[in-house]
Amino acid sequence: HHHHHRSTKSSGMEESDVHAEVISAAELNALVSRMNGNGSSAAGENNAQSVLAAMERLLRGNGERQEREPAKKEHKFWSTQPVPQFEIKEDTREDGEDVDGPIDPSKTVADVRKEGYDLPPGYEWDEVDVETQEGRDEVFNLLASNYVEDDDEMFRFAYAPEFVSWALQPPGYEKSWHVGIRISCTKTLVALITGIPAEVSANEKRLKVAEINFLCVHKKLRRKNFAPVLIREVTRRINLKDVWQAAYTAGVVLPKPCAKARYWHRSINVKKLVDIRFTQLGRGMSMAETIEHYAMPKKIRVQGLRKMEEKDVPTVTRLLNSYFSKFKLAPVKNEEDVRHWLVPRDEVVYSYVKIDECTGEATDFCSFYNLSSTVIQASSSNGRNAKKNVLLKAAYCYYNVATSENIEDLIQDALILARDNGFDVFNALNVSENDQFLETLKFGIGDGDLHYYLYNWKLRETLAPKDVALVLL
């Protein structure tokens, strides 16, 4: 979102002319086949970048590059959209500004245009069918080469095909919301945006929303303004299903965040992180001392904590919804949703529950999902400067509830379980009650914000991280 968040990844969003001159389909096809033949350029040997800083930039969707530019940026695209705008004057308060609600007055499905938006010649809209292996692989291949990476091209999200089908096929998903752009003559997928149906609670008002993710434009088509037309098109398709709000996250600042949060990182496999030369040892600390500093107990401590099973869905659903009711921005999940999002799937999502023996009800729950990244690396040890791709296995804190246990004890166990499942690092946002364990459990703070956005919905006030329980992939 997460990846989410991490939705608006393309920097071409601000330019005005959607019909800008575009690379020819033939040229692009040659480039695609060349790119598929060889990997990305390897990072320089002497690059002393830490893996966590790289991961941080990656998580924020490469926001830094844009944020170094002057803050007076006009949003040629976003100023046309039903989102709260940054105010020029602070002191003018109109009537009704202090109530939540939609920005566009209610439209009906009948008002929505029936044809897709115009694309430049040689390109066509097509939905991507993630029910098929081919469709999942297409998405995987586009994202694997063109999705969010850090500034130094050392580091890129690697969404596995199993992750893609989990992320895009929740209960009630709409195929038409998985929007692709193809080159007409070869049918090569060159751009993508996706929406999934969900329900969120915003200041106790339940909203049907589309959660937007995987906005991705092929590297050779950047600055050609495909992002605005992708956003308009997915919006049109969502509106056709009578849904008028959306939720998304991004590292960049757009009009106008409803909340912002910060990633924190907990090193697990220190030796690997240091060995692949992406994290340095602490000042004056040896490898042994650093490993010792991050060492964790052999076994989990919470009595009765076990892997969640299908039979736990009803009680986990009750536990989560009762917990979510405490927050100003939170998901609303029914049993079907919990079955899809939280019943464990190998290499995708991991969930653990503690059940009260007397009542049979879940009292404690923790979960994390697997969003690994490829580290593109040069090794000159053999003098041949061979490229080798290393997978950095990263666990992302998902939904956690502690009622009979301390949250620190619960997440300490989650860290141990992540380690035992082969994860190298554990990432968490400072949302909900997470700030109660981040420092204690030796997480290090990241260096940039993740912004939360609602489309066509205005909140009275910007929310603090502790008021947010929603986590987007």
Side-chain angles (χ1 to χ4, degrees), residues 54-112:
M55 173 173 283
E56 180 59 33
R57 290 195 301 278
L58 175 67
L59 290 173
R60 288 181 289 113
N62 211 355
E64 279 186 343
R65 213 172 263 168
Q66 279 119 306
E67 281 161 346
R68 286 191 209 106
E69 292 166 19
K72 63 170 171 54
K73 171 177 258 181
E74 292 173 71
H75 290 276
K76 290 194 183 76
F77 169 69
W78 285 107
S79 61
T80 69
Q81 299 297 293
V83 292
Q85 302 296 318
F86 296 117
E87 303 303 330
I88 321 302
K89 290 198 181 75
E90 285 301 322
D91 44 279
T92 57
R93 295 190 80 67
E94 298 161 32
D95 276 354
E97 211 189 306
D98 280 336
V99 293
D100 290 3
I103 290 156
D104 261 358
S106 52
K107 287 199 296 188
T108 65
V109 173
D111 303 326
V112 181

Side-chain angles (χ1 to χ4, degrees), residues 235-260:
T235 302
R236 186 186 71 81
R237 293 169 181 224
I238 290 163
N239 290 167
L240 280 173
K241 300 290 181 185
D242 204 22
V243 174
W244 304 94
Q245 272 73 41
Y248 48 102
T249 57
V252 289
V253 179
L254 303 167
K256 179 187 172 186
C258 61
K260 70 177 182 183

Side-chain angles (χ1 to χ4, degrees), residues 268 295-299 368 414-423:
I268 297 175
M296 297 190 294
K298 279 259 184 289
K299 289 197 170 70
F368 50 89
L415 288 168
I416 292 169
L417 290 159
R419 175 197 65 196
D420 293 349
N421 280 288
F423 287 92

Side-chain angles (χ1 to χ4, degrees), residues 45-315:
E45 246 330 56
N46 54 1
N47 202 325
Q49 200 79 53
S50 93
V51 74
L52 296 183
M55 173 173 283
E56 180 59 33
R57 290 195 301 278
L58 175 67
L59 290 173
R60 288 181 289 113
N62 211 355
E64 279 186 343
R65 213 172 263 168
Q66 279 119 306
E67 281 161 346
R68 286 191 209 106
E69 292 166 19
K72 63 170 171 54
K73 171 177 258 181
E74 292 173 71
H75 290 276
K76 290 194 183 76
F77 169 69
W78 285 107
S79 61
T80 69
Q81 299 297 293
V83 292
Q85 302 296 318
F86 296 117
E87 303 303 330
I88 321 302
K89 290 198 181 75
E90 285 301 322
D91 44 279
T92 57
R93 295 190 80 67
E94 298 161 32
D95 276 354
E97 211 189 306
D98 280 336
V99 293
D100 290 3
I103 290 156
D104 261 358
S106 52
K107 287 199 296 188
T108 65
V109 173
D111 303 326
V112 181
R113 82 176 249 169
K114 299 297 180 282
E115 329 75 47
Y117 284 92
D118 290 345
L119 286 172
Y123 296 90
E124 61 189 35
W125 295 113
D126 191 25
E127 55 195 42
V128 180
D129 185 358
V130 291
E131 281 166 38
T132 67
Q133 188 61 44
E134 302 92 287
R136 289 193 289 273
D137 288 344
E138 278 191 309
V139 169
F140 170 76
N141 288 324
L142 180 69
L143 295 174
S145 302
N146 305 282
Y147 202 46
V148 190
E149 56 180 57
D150 69 294
D151 289 345
D152 302 308
E153 298 183 2
M154 299 169 83
F155 211 82
R156 193 187 295 126
F157 283 138
Y159 286 98
E162 308 76 57
F163 186 98
V164 171
S165 53
W166 175 64
L168 296 182
Q169 297 180 277
Y173 76 96
E174 294 284 351
K175 261 192 198 177
S176 66
W177 295 4
H178 301 160
V179 185
I181 295 177
R182 295 183 187 278
I183 299 175
S184 307
C185 58
T186 62
K187 307 300 183 222
T188 309
L189 184 69
V190 292
L192 179 71
I193 191 167
T194 67
I196 54 169
E199 202 169 342
V200 301
S201 166
N203 288 328
E204 304 191 358
K205 199 169 182 89
R206 284 166 65 140
L207 302 176
K208 283 213 179 309
V209 301
E211 293 178 350
I212 306 298
N213 206 344
F214 301 124
L215 169 56
C216 181
V217 176
H218 195 285
K219 284 188 166 182
K220 302 299 174 184
L221 297 181
R222 299 287 164 88
R223 294 181 200 80
K224 303 292 186 190
N225 265 327
F226 274 112
V229 75
L230 281 162
I231 294 164
R232 287 194 173 102
E233 180 65 14
V234 78
T235 302
R236 186 186 71 81
R237 293 169 181 224
I238 290 163
N239 290 167
L240 280 173
K241 300 290 181 185
D242 204 22
V243 174
W244 304 94
Q245 272 73 41
Y248 48 102
T249 57
V252 289
V253 179
L254 303 167
K256 179 187 172 186
C258 61
K260 70 177 182 183
R262 179 71 66 105
Y263 271 104
W264 290 59
H265 314 283
R266 210 289 185 185
S267 302
I268 297 175
N269 187 348
V270 187
K271 187 169 182 343
K272 175 173 172 180
L273 296 180
V274 173
D275 281 352
I276 63 179
R277 300 206 196 97
F278 276 91
T279 193
Q280 293 97 31
L281 296 171
R283 276 197 295 276
M285 282 172 80
S286 65
M287 173 68 90
E289 288 167 324
T290 307
I291 290 170
E292 177 57 34
H293 177 255
Y294 287 112
M296 297 190 294
K298 279 259 184 289
K299 289 197 170 70
I300 63 171
R301 304 237 178 98
V302 171
Q303 285 293 304
L305 187 67
R306 61 163 173 80
K307 198 168 164 179
M308 183 190 176
E309 298 167 38
E310 184 93 29
K311 65 178 186 193
D312 303 315
V313 165
T315 179

